[in-house]
């Protein structure tokens, strides 16, 4: 049995991470944050052209070798009547919660962003105040309240906000390492709204079962699983396939 578990761990977790790291190393990536491209990817429409409120969750591969296995996520919103977006990230220097440090849809370490979830009109108008309240209530918002692994990191922040807002109904992708860190300190969580059960061993390992999330196993930040309803596989380091 121990041999089977060990071989399964190698095949399911170690092999995909090693393949992803190999592909990442032979790819073309900036050598430092100074050499990286942080300009807008022009993914979102100009805020001045949006007549209705909008809310986005975005993500992109992060920098350095950790980009082989992890993404960085952030929150963007435009309230009714405003002519500009607001962007919220958590970073590892200074005051960790950053507001408008980058363009709303900027590349992250030269990596193209993509939209994880988006809401417009009445839905966004209802959700934005709740999202702002969750951001304000985030407990790890002071200097020194950042840890790359197991958390709380940038993905721990966004995942916390997403779980705190009823009606948001979205999840960070499996490659968002740190999303499963128990920000509230609870090792067991039952979300009746989403029909989801989560177990977490301080972010180092965990298990999730639910209507929307399917079945997931998290080991050292790497997530493997499947979603039988949407016929999707969750491959460590690569993310969702299907």
């Amino acid at each position: 049995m121990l041999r089977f578990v060990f071989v399964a761990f190698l095949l399911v977790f170690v092999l995909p991470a090693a393949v992803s790291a190999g592909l990442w190393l032979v790819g073309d990536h900036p050598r430092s944050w100074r050499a990286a491209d942080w300009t807008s990817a022009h993914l979102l429409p100009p805020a001045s052209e949006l007549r209705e409120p909008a809310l986005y969750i975005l993500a992109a591969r992060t920098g350095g070798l950790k980009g082989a296995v992890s993404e960085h996520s952030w929150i963007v919103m435009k309230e009714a009547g405003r002519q500009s977006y607001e962007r919220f990230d958590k970073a590892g220097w200074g005051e960790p919660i950053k507001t408008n440090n980058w363009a709303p849809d900027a590349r992250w370490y030269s990596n193209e962003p993509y939209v994880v979830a988006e809401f417009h009109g009445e839905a966004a108008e209802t959700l934005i105040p709740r999202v702002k309240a969750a951001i304000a209530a985030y407990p790890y918002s002071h200097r020194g309240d950042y840890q790359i692994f197991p958390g709380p990191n940038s993905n721990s922040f966004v995942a916390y906000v997403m779980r705190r807002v009823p009606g948001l109904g979205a999840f960070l992708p499996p490659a968002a390492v740190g999303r499963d860190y128990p920000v509230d300190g609870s090792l067991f969580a039952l979300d009746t709204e989403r029909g989801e059960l989560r177990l977490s061993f301080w972010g180092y390992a965990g298990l999730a079962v639910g209507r929307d999330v399917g079945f997931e196993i998290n080991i050292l930040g790497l997530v493997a699983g499947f979603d039988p309803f949407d016929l999707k596989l969750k491959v460590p380091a690569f993310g969702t396939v299907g």
Side-chain angles (χ1 to χ4, degrees), residues 17-27 68:
V19 171
S20 181
L23 294 173
W24 187 265
L25 288 172
V26 300

Side-chain angles (χ1 to χ4, degrees), residues 186-220:
S186 175
L187 304 185
F188 171 86
L190 177 61
D191 189 331
T192 55
E193 179 188 352
R194 301 189 184 195
E196 173 187 312
L197 170 67
R198 285 188 176 271
L199 300 176
S200 176
F201 296 94
W202 299 279
Y204 292 99
L207 173 71
V209 181
R211 180 182 62 245
D212 297 326
V213 76
F215 176 81
E216 293 181 355
I217 296 178
N218 169 15
I219 298 180
L220 299 178

